[in-house]
Amino acid sequence: MKKTHPALVIFLFFLGWVFMYADRNILSPVMGSIGEEWNLDQTELGLMATVFFAAYAFMQIPTGFLADKFGRVKVLVVGFIVFGVGTYLSGASTTFGIFLLMRALTGLGEGTYYGSQYGISSTITPKKYRGLVSAIINSGMAFGISLGFMSSSYFTYTLNKGWQFPFYVFAIPTILVAILIAIFVRDDSHKQKKQAAQTQEKVAMKTLFTKNHIFVYILIFCSLYGFFGMLTWLPYYLQTARDIEASQTGIISSLVPWASIPGAILFGFLSDRIKSKKPLIIGLALAGAICQFAIPYTDNYNYLIVGLCLYGLLGKLALDPVLISYMADITPPSMYSRVYGFFNFSGMLSSIFAPYITGYFADKTGSLEFGFYLAGGLLIIGAVFFMFTSDNQTNGQSVKTINTVRKEGKLA
């Protein structure tokens, strides 16, 4: 069978992230409308996102093992179809309880994407282009965030279609993307893995939990905490704390993802060309923390806009491709799906807590600002931990560990 051109694979994975993030962010601008319909407080509003992210995080580690057994493409496609169906049924929900169940179903479906997708893309991409390719694929997140924010606000408040309408609209292209990936993307890595399954099982946990891996898991947790707290609450924060019209909050919130596109591509490109990614990673983490502090601190509207743009340029979406490339450098290719599963699971753990905790403290203090300050503090903690990573741990050393286990197995 003819091999699909890598550019088409990258484009399809880009589209996958577009609709993944569009689905997540059509919820944010309409949280107020949903809350009014079902008489929800801010803690319950945060729970809507928490349920989704809990289900999404739950699938990260199992996905790596499922992909090893059945193939990355198969697992990804099945999950993406479930995600599309769950999106449609979210809009069709008639009670808050059913809505939570449908968001959980959507999260389970989306949960198969990260490890499978980056496992494939990291395998087909030469090391010298990994950061750049990851940034290009990741930019789909930015387009999706903006698309979700703006379309949800437009359909619901400008066209008066109701909060359900965006969920119906995005379900259709989501399923179409799943079909295109099934047709055009190939991955036979799971067949190769079966030949050395026992050896890999012995070394897998040791390889995926080196000191460097653990500190990356901590940093991505801290990075995603602020990111998903902001995505969940930013439109609502702009409406309630900054008195900005609901129809405009989607556009303003979209400044973050749009600013992230050049930042992600620039830093992804730089990470491929520098000897050590460590200073770049620490610098981006600290810059993101400063932006988290600045956004709620300033009362000036123009400074608020500058803070949002800088967070997009230097924050989580710029840091992600550098970390993804770094993980590929320190992990054997045969374990990419698993390591990205643990990597994303670590990050998504924060997304379970961030929406709920932010809403909880907003109810207790009467302000959403505490959530921003907490997110900035966590990013500083993550940067400090990453300072203790070793510069000499490489993919080659991980492969050497596997060879050592093979020899020990023969001697035993």
Side-chain angles (χ1 to χ4, degrees):
M1 184 176 293
K2 188 177 180 180
K3 187 177 180 181
T4 305
H5 195 282
L8 178 57
V9 176
I10 292 169
F11 176 68
L12 290 175
F13 287 159
F14 163 86
L15 285 181
W17 282 117
V18 168
F19 291 106
M20 289 264 285
Y21 270 74
D23 166 76
R24 296 177 189 183
N25 293 289
I26 54 180
L27 174 62
S28 299
V30 299
M31 287 174 67
S33 297
I34 295 175
E36 290 177 4
E37 180 166 333
W38 289 322
N39 193 28
L40 307 176
D41 60 26
Q42 292 181 100
T43 303
E44 290 171 316
L45 289 177
L47 186 61
M48 293 190 297
T50 293
V51 166
F52 166 86
F53 287 125
Y56 180 84
F58 172 80
M59 283 301 297
Q60 297 308 303
I61 295 175
T63 292
F65 291 90
L66 290 171
D68 285 346
K69 185 173 183 180
F70 299 107
R72 293 165 179 164
V73 174
K74 290 180 182 177
V75 171
L76 185 158
V77 169
V78 171
F80 222 79
I81 292 174
V82 171
F83 148 43
V85 172
T87 299
Y88 182 88
L89 293 178
S90 295
S93 300
T94 55
T95 68
F96 181 54
I98 294 175
F99 184 81
L100 291 179
L101 287 175
M102 293 306 101
R103 297 313 293 162
L105 177 66
T106 306
L108 289 174
E110 287 194 25
T112 65
Y113 192 71
Y114 196 103
S116 301
Q117 182 262 289
Y118 282 117
I120 297 169
S121 63
S122 294
T123 300
I124 67 172
T125 304
K127 181 179 178 180
K128 62 181 179 179
Y129 298 121
R130 278 182 189 148
L132 180 60
V133 168
S134 295
I136 293 172
I137 293 173
N138 258 25
S139 67
M141 301 180 187
F143 279 90
I145 294 168
S146 181
L147 182 63
F149 278 154
M150 291 193 294
S151 62
S152 185
S153 297
Y154 180 73
F155 288 139
T156 304
Y157 300 113
T158 302
L159 298 183
N160 294 316
K161 293 288 187 179
W163 65 263
Q164 298 90 343
F165 190 75
F167 291 93
Y168 300 146
V169 170
F170 282 98
I172 297 171
T174 296
I175 294 175
L176 289 177
V177 168
I179 294 171
L180 290 173
I181 291 175
I183 294 172
F184 291 108
V185 179
R186 298 285 174 265
D187 178 62
D188 297 324
S189 59
H190 65 291
K191 296 178 182 178
Q192 299 170 3
K193 291 175 185 177
K194 290 179 181 178
Q195 299 174 3
Q198 292 182 346
T199 300
Q200 292 179 9
E201 288 299 330
K202 290 180 181 179
V203 76
M205 297 305 292
K206 183 176 181 180
T207 304
L208 302 183
F209 285 90
T210 65
K211 180 179 70 173
N212 283 13
H213 284 84
I214 291 171
F215 289 155
V216 172
Y217 298 152
I218 293 172
L219 178 56
I220 195 64
F221 174 93
C222 298
S223 177
L224 264 67
Y225 183 96
F227 180 70
F228 284 109
M230 183 179 291
L231 283 189
T232 302
W233 288 103
L234 182 58
Y236 187 84
Y237 169 75
L238 295 173
Q239 293 172 32
T240 58
R242 296 301 182 104
D243 297 322
I244 296 173
E245 293 183 9
S247 60
Q248 298 298 312
T249 57
I251 297 174
I252 296 173
S253 299
S254 295
L255 293 173
V256 173
W258 283 117
S260 75
I261 295 173
I265 293 175
L266 171 63
F267 293 118
F269 177 82
L270 288 176
S271 72
D272 290 333
R273 279 152 181 78
I274 56 179
K275 184 176 181 181
S276 173
K277 296 180 175 67
K278 185 174 178 178
L280 179 60
I281 291 171
I282 294 172
L284 288 173
L286 293 176
I290 293 172
C291 293
Q292 287 279 2
F293 291 136
I295 290 169
Y297 181 78
T298 178
D299 293 326
N300 185 284
Y301 176 81
N302 292 326
Y303 290 158
L304 170 67
I305 298 300
V306 171
L308 291 173
C309 290
L310 286 176
Y311 179 73
L313 188 68
L314 304 171
K316 180 263 183 189
L317 290 174
L319 178 61
D320 256 14
V322 184
L323 286 178
I324 290 167
S325 177
Y326 178 83
M327 291 299 277
D329 290 346
I330 65 172
T331 307
S334 61
M335 297 180 185
Y336 280 165
S337 288
R338 296 191 191 186
V339 78
Y340 288 129
F342 280 107
F343 173 78
N344 203 36
F345 173 76
S346 302
M348 298 312 296
L349 278 179
S350 68
S351 68
I352 298 172
F353 302 112
Y356 183 83
I357 290 175
T358 303
Y360 174 81
F361 280 107
D363 282 335
K364 294 297 182 181
T365 65
S367 171
L368 284 164
E369 293 182 349
F370 178 81
F372 288 93
Y373 296 133
L374 176 59
L378 286 174
L379 257 176
I380 292 175
I381 292 173
V384 170
F385 270 104
F386 194 81
M387 289 178 183
F388 293 97
T389 55
S390 302
D391 291 328
N392 61 351
Q393 184 178 323
T394 64
N395 185 289
Q397 283 185 301
S398 297
V399 174
K400 183 178 179 180
T401 304
I402 295 176
N403 292 333
T404 300
V405 172
R406 285 176 178 159
K407 291 178 181 179
E408 291 175 352
K410 290 178 179 178
L411 290 174

